[in-house]
Amino acid sequence: MLVILSPDCSVAEVAAVEASITAMGYTPLAVPGENRTAICVTGNKGPVDAGPLRGLPGVVDCIRVTKPYKLVSREVHPADTVITVGRTQIGGDATPVMIAGPCSVETEARTLRIAEAVKAAGATMFRAGAFKPRTSPYDFQGLGVEALHTLRQVREQFELPIVSEIVDASHLEQMIDTVDVLQVGARNMQNFALLQRLADQPRPVLLKRGAAATLTEWLMAAEYLLAGGKRDVILCERGIRSFSDHSRNTLDLNVVPVVRQMSHLPILVDPSHGTGRRERVRAMARAGIAAGAQGLLVEAHFDPASSYTDAAQTVSDEVLKGISADLGVLAGLGSIE
Ligand code: PEP
Ligand code: MN
């Protein structure tokens, strides 16, 4: 249930509504909005009886929320969420963002060279993993703390905000000063302890879809972040597991317009993990933006074949330039109604 208060309601009226919701055994959560004051009732197992709330001073409406996710839904928050990171805006009608970089942070010299190349190709944010979640314990696990030092150099020299994956809540303290957007990877989408910890820190969170997650499971994972107080959440479709064996994952572009309809959160597409093959990345990047994605996450390198990880799906900075040009063309299509 969403309780709508009049725009000029008093602080005392808001507090009285919250107290009534608490007295009913539920938890009130304020929903920020430009044109209204609203409080979402959470913690209910079945329908909420609006009777005791309707008559309270300041209350103008009580709206039933039909979806299991509340704070991420458009029912509760009709306007698009737009997230500002440095000079870049993500979401709403902002120009689609291109976030690019190598799968893993490499040596400092190589990483700086990649950063220079992706910036010249049009990327406005740099992504690279310091801590890598690898299928095999024998595979390269990322350079860890040394990589964070390198990412700080990238941020300083190229003025690119940094996106990097957090695999364990215990790394937060080390990462928070270096990383502008914390990525939660597909494998951790339902690591609820990690999500709860990330809800209570200042950085935006980029939440990738789990390889076997339904739309509802994904949005419920995002709900953990919003319920914990985090407003700046970016979704990213990166492909799901299907019976297809012609690509690493099946990029589920169907989900993009559905997410745009169901949720106010920005959605990006990752055509790199979504295909696993560099020669298909540009086509699926175009398709993702055409489907309504508000940006891309692309693995790119000045010498893709030598990438420490995910080499087969990493594109050159030349290809990235092409993707950047495509973004300009597709942005001209305008929003999809
Ligand atoms: C990555 O972004 O390099 C990564 C590991 O992605 P995912 O979590 O989507 O597999
Ligand atoms: Mn990767």
Side-chain angles (χ1 to χ4, degrees):
M1 167 103 27
L2 189 66
V3 184
I4 311 290
L5 290 99
S6 81
D8 51 4
C9 65
S10 69
V11 174
E13 284 169 347
V14 175
V17 172
E18 288 178 337
S20 298
I21 294 169
T22 305
M24 291 163 82
Y26 309 132
T27 307
L29 283 175
V31 182
E34 271 177 29
N35 306 315
R36 64 172 198 193
T37 301
I39 301 169
C40 188
V41 178
T42 64
N44 54 303
K45 294 206 169 55
V48 175
D49 176 13
L53 301 171
R54 276 197 196 284
L56 293 175
V59 172
V60 292
D61 201 3
C62 292
I63 302 170
R64 176 145 298 159
V65 179
T66 56
K67 299 284 184 298
Y69 38 87
K70 299 171 191 288
L71 301 177
V72 307
S73 77
R74 276 213 194 266
E75 288 177 309
V76 166
H77 190 295
D80 278 344
T81 286
V82 180
I83 296 168
T84 304
V85 185
R87 288 192 289 267
T88 302
Q89 288 201 317
I90 306 173
D93 292 328
T95 310
V97 64
M98 188 163 75
I99 304 173
C103 180
S104 305
V105 177
E106 305 192 354
T107 62
E108 186 172 304
R110 281 166 65 91
T111 306
L112 292 173
R113 199 173 149 194
I114 299 167
E116 188 175 16
V118 301
K119 184 169 181 173
T124 53
M125 296 174 73
F126 187 75
R127 61 131 280 155
F131 301 93
K132 295 303 300 178
R134 301 308 304 283
T135 301
S136 166
Y138 308 118
D139 284 343
F140 175 64
Q141 303 284 312
L143 293 174
V145 175
E146 186 189 330
L148 295 177
H149 177 78
T150 300
L151 290 174
R152 276 196 291 281
Q153 302 297 316
V154 169
R155 185 160 64 177
E156 268 170 39
Q157 286 192 31
F158 298 102
E159 294 182 352
L160 289 168
I162 304 296
V163 181
S164 197
E165 177 168 354
I166 180 161
V167 295
D168 190 315
S170 70
H171 296 160
L172 183 60
E173 216 173 306
Q174 293 166 285
M175 296 180 78
I176 197 145
D177 289 336
T178 307
V179 177
D180 299 283
V181 175
L182 290 158
Q183 175 176 322
V184 174
R187 292 155 190 80
N188 270 316
M189 187 204 85
Q190 284 187 312
N191 180 340
F192 301 120
L194 178 63
L195 297 175
Q196 278 167 330
R197 180 68 192 85
L198 295 183
D200 186 24
Q201 55 76 44
R203 300 296 192 208
V205 175
L206 190 157
L207 180 65
K208 286 190 146 194
R209 181 182 180 184
T214 64
L215 171 63
T216 300
E217 288 165 342
W218 186 19
L219 293 179
M220 291 307 278
E223 187 81 12
Y224 266 85
L225 292 163
L226 274 82
K230 171 118 315 274
R231 300 286 161 211
D232 293 349
V233 175
I234 304 158
L235 301 169
C236 180
E237 162 62 31
R238 47 77 73 201
I240 51 172
R241 201 54 85 81
S242 77
F243 57 79
S244 292
D245 57 4
H246 60 268
S247 66
R248 180 177 180 183
N249 290 295
T250 296
L251 193 61
D252 178 15
L253 294 183
N254 273 303
V255 89
V256 175
V258 187
V259 166
R260 298 273 323 246
Q261 186 189 345
M262 299 298 183
S263 178
H264 52 92
L265 297 175
I267 177 163
L268 310 182
V269 158
D270 171 353
S272 306
H273 294 85
T275 60
R277 304 291 310 178
R278 73 172 68 93
E279 61 274 20
R280 302 176 197 160
V281 167
R282 186 170 175 185
M284 296 313 284
R286 285 183 177 180
I289 297 297
Q294 290 143 314
L296 299 171
L297 206 67
V298 181
E299 289 185 338
H301 198 294
F302 62 84
D303 178 20
S306 72
S307 301
Y308 288 9
T309 51
D310 282 349
Q313 67 190 34
T314 301
V315 298
S316 66
D317 46 302
E318 276 309 307
V319 172
L320 197 65
K321 260 186 215 151
I323 294 174
S324 188
D326 294 342
L327 280 186
V329 173
L330 291 164
L333 293 175
S335 61
I336 302 163
E337 296 305 330

